[in-house]
Amino acid sequence: MVNEKLAILGGPKAIKTEFKKYNSIGTEELEAAKKVIEDGSLSKFVGCWEPEFYGGNKVQEFERLCEKTFNVKYAISVNSWTSGLIAAVGAIGIQPGDEIIVTPWTMCATATAILHWNAIPVFADIESETFNIDPESVRKNISPYTKAIMAVDIFGHSCDIDSLMEIAEEFNLKIIGDTAQAPGTFNKNRVTGSIAHVGGYSLNRHKHIQTGEGGICVTNDKQISENLQLIRNHAEAVVGDKGHSDLTNMVGYNFRMGEIEAAIGIEQIKKMNKFVQSRIDTAEKLTNQLSGIPGLKLPIVKPKCTHSYYMYPMIIDTEIIKVPRKKIQDALEAEGMQGLDPGYINVHRLPMYQEKIAYGSSGFPWNSEICKREISYKKGICPVAEELHDKSYLGFNNCDYDITDNEINSIGFAYKKVFSQLELL
Ligand SMILES: *Cc1c(COP(=O)(O)O)cnc(C)c1O
């Protein structure tokens, strides 16, 4: 298709510019933060049983806005989504040794939230189309000890929430949703993240909308929302005064969001759809440029779903292309391509799981009596995720950059150049 000499072999670079960093923060956020600072109350939370137990004005305004935006009864802000995940696992009443089925294709915080309550992560494989947890593999991993499924809407595409809810009903499990990468997306007209028993969104600086650090838990269950609020705010210090009698998982934390972050969050939520649309626009233009390249699989969107393209996921079809991924990546980067991510993450292959050491150094919780059966994290338990990780996945960090139309054209040219001369690599 394109015969220009490859940059990696000394030819000219296809992409000559440095991609501009994505930045969702503007003057509205500056003004909002300034007002809070002028007001002088950077947080109004108290850890005792007073009206401010639920936080300051901005925190509460932000939460009510999130409830509308994500179409849920309760939104509970937290100081990171990692905190939110920990609170969510605690809030559904998990007991030590309970098993939670989780996807390996996610950020490690999803799985470590399980370990924080001395529960046991069990990894199910993923679908190669959307990279989300595969309901069939979930079924195979259910044991008498399974209590919940942790489903991530990875890269911006909803997981198969209907199949997972069916499984949850059949086996009396709870679903925890991690929608960190898919705010503002839909699955059959339902807001992604609003269907799980408890779920939420990240507001860290890498995400579509951000408050620097921050997160939002969402649920339609009153009891879960109350548990989240307690765990967020030193639960055990307040349960007595509040008249709360159930002490399950009431080891409290300080997961509270500050007023500055909440004020910024309000402005970010207002702009969310615009930012998500900007990611979609870039992705669609990339698809235009890259479609038709033999051996390069582009992202799909399932019927009646939308995608927020936190990542623009691509797969090298190893049936057609025999050149190792690393060589293709090197050639693309020599052409000036930026933001490539080979392999994403296989959480089960992190050292903690391979060595089975989480707390202390003697193998807790796996070697203790709370762990009721042998759990394997060995290579081979998630063949689809492992093959993508080891060989074929090569994504673009679409939420890291604001690329121009000219750059998108140059990316198209770079890919065509490299993929039509693979035999030279
Ligand atoms: C970003 C992210 C998290 C963690 O969120 P923080 O706000 O950084 O703690 C968890 N899960 C997924 C899938 C993420 O992308």
Side-chain angles (χ1 to χ4, degrees):
M1 292 182 284
V2 177
N3 286 319
E4 187 179 276
K5 188 166 185 188
L6 293 175
I8 203 163
L9 301 176
K13 276 168 95 160
I15 305 160
K16 296 182 180 72
T17 50
E18 200 170 311
F19 300 164
K20 196 177 135 211
K21 282 281 173 198
Y22 171 76
N23 176 20
S24 64
I25 300 297
T27 51
E28 294 81 2
E29 287 76 9
L30 178 64
E31 285 308 314
K34 201 169 137 216
K35 276 206 191 110
V36 174
I37 294 168
E38 281 166 356
D39 177 46
S41 265
L42 305 194
S43 175
K44 290 188 186 156
F45 269 106
V46 293
C48 57
W49 186 228
E50 299 280 334
E52 284 80 23
F53 181 76
Y54 297 109
N57 317 353
K58 287 296 163 192
V59 160
Q60 296 198 32
E61 185 185 337
F62 176 53
E63 292 178 350
R64 301 301 82 76
L65 187 59
C66 287
E67 285 158 8
K68 273 204 194 119
T69 306
F70 298 115
N71 194 28
V72 287
K73 282 198 189 136
Y74 309 99
I76 295 94
S77 62
V78 277
N79 58 5
S80 78
W81 176 229
T82 300
S83 305
L85 285 162
I86 295 170
V89 175
I92 60 169
I94 286 299
Q95 307 290 323
D98 283 351
E99 293 175 14
I100 300 185
I101 299 177
V102 61
T103 170
W105 195 265
T106 183
M107 208 217 140
C108 62
T110 318
T112 37
I114 299 167
L115 285 165
H116 276 285
W117 298 98
N118 296 320
I120 312 289
V122 172
F123 291 95
D125 209 354
I126 62 170
E127 309 171 339
S128 60
E129 273 192 321
T130 63
F131 311 92
N132 282 317
I133 197 164
D134 179 351
E136 282 315 306
S137 180
V138 168
R139 271 183 190 279
K140 288 185 195 138
N141 279 286
I142 289 175
S143 84
Y145 313 111
T146 309
K147 287 290 152 53
I149 302 165
M150 191 91 118
V152 183
D153 303 300
I154 203 70
F155 298 160
H157 193 297
S158 170
C159 63
D160 184 354
I161 191 70
D162 290 322
S163 301
L164 294 174
M165 290 304 283
E166 247 173 58
I167 295 172
E169 206 154 299
E170 190 179 332
F171 294 93
N172 193 23
L173 311 175
K174 288 275 190 283
I175 306 270
I176 303 167
D178 177 347
T179 312
Q181 302 182 0
T185 66
F186 295 88
N187 179 329
K188 295 187 191 145
N189 291 322
R190 299 160 304 174
V191 175
T192 308
S194 68
I195 309 299
H197 296 101
V198 56
Y201 306 86
S202 168
L203 296 166
N204 89 17
R205 67 189 182 89
H206 303 287
K207 301 303 191 319
H208 295 78
I209 56 169
Q210 61 147 328
T211 59
E213 305 289 353
I216 317 156
C217 297
V218 294
T219 182
N220 287 309
D221 183 305
K222 189 165 194 303
Q223 186 60 54
I224 291 176
S225 82
E226 176 153 304
N227 292 348
L228 290 168
Q229 282 157 341
L230 286 165
I231 292 168
R232 166 174 74 175
N233 198 356
H234 303 300
E236 94 290 359
V238 80
V239 282
D241 295 340
K242 192 179 176 307
H244 187 91
S245 55
D246 182 3
L247 291 179
T248 305
N249 292 349
M250 286 297 129
V251 175
Y253 292 86
N254 175 354
F255 287 161
R256 306 176 304 209
M257 176 178 267
E259 288 286 279
I260 295 177
E261 287 77 8
I264 293 172
I266 291 166
E267 300 308 318
Q268 288 278 287
I269 288 280
K270 291 183 198 162
K271 301 177 185 175
M272 181 180 77
N273 289 340
K274 184 184 92 176
F275 286 126
V276 171
Q277 190 58 47
S278 78
R279 302 303 91 196
I280 296 174
D281 290 345
T282 302
E284 287 178 349
K285 289 174 192 167
L286 279 170
T287 297
N288 252 340
Q289 283 293 325
L290 301 175
S291 58
I293 296 179
L296 184 67
K297 290 193 200 164
L298 303 179
I300 64 105
V301 185
K302 283 193 179 173
K304 299 189 180 161
C305 287
T306 65
H307 201 313
S308 64
Y309 296 103
Y310 177 74
M311 279 270 182
Y312 183 83
M314 289 172 275
I315 300 173
I316 294 161
D317 187 343
T318 50
E319 295 283 305
I320 297 177
I321 292 177
K322 301 298 173 195
V323 180
R325 173 178 65 193
K326 179 78 174 82
K327 287 199 167 176
I328 298 174
Q329 182 187 352
D330 288 348
L332 288 167
E333 284 173 349
E335 297 296 338
M337 184 59 187
Q338 296 143 59
L340 286 177
D341 176 33
Y344 199 59
I345 307 165
N346 268 191
V347 176
H348 64 296
R349 289 162 73 184
L350 295 177
M352 179 170 68
Y353 298 102
Q354 289 306 304
E355 307 291 328
K356 287 196 175 172
I357 296 176
Y359 289 97
S361 53
S362 65
F364 188 87
W366 295 281
N367 71 348
S368 76
E369 63 186 23
I370 65 164
C371 186
K372 300 177 192 84
R373 64 182 183 116
E374 179 74 23
I375 305 291
S376 172
Y377 300 124
K378 291 210 174 80
K379 196 165 183 236
I381 59 168
C382 298
V384 176
E386 290 168 15
E387 145 79 24
L388 286 162
H389 176 79
D390 292 345
K391 294 197 180 125
S392 53
Y393 176 81
L394 187 57
F396 168 61
N397 277 305
N398 186 42
C399 214
D400 272 3
Y401 304 100
D402 254 330
I403 47 178
T404 64
D405 287 355
N406 276 338
E407 285 167 335
I408 293 170
N409 292 343
S410 304
I411 291 174
F413 184 69
Y415 270 76
K416 282 169 199 149
K417 213 176 137 179
V418 169
F419 277 80
S420 55
Q421 302 182 72
L422 289 172
E423 70 285 356
L424 301 179
L425 297 179

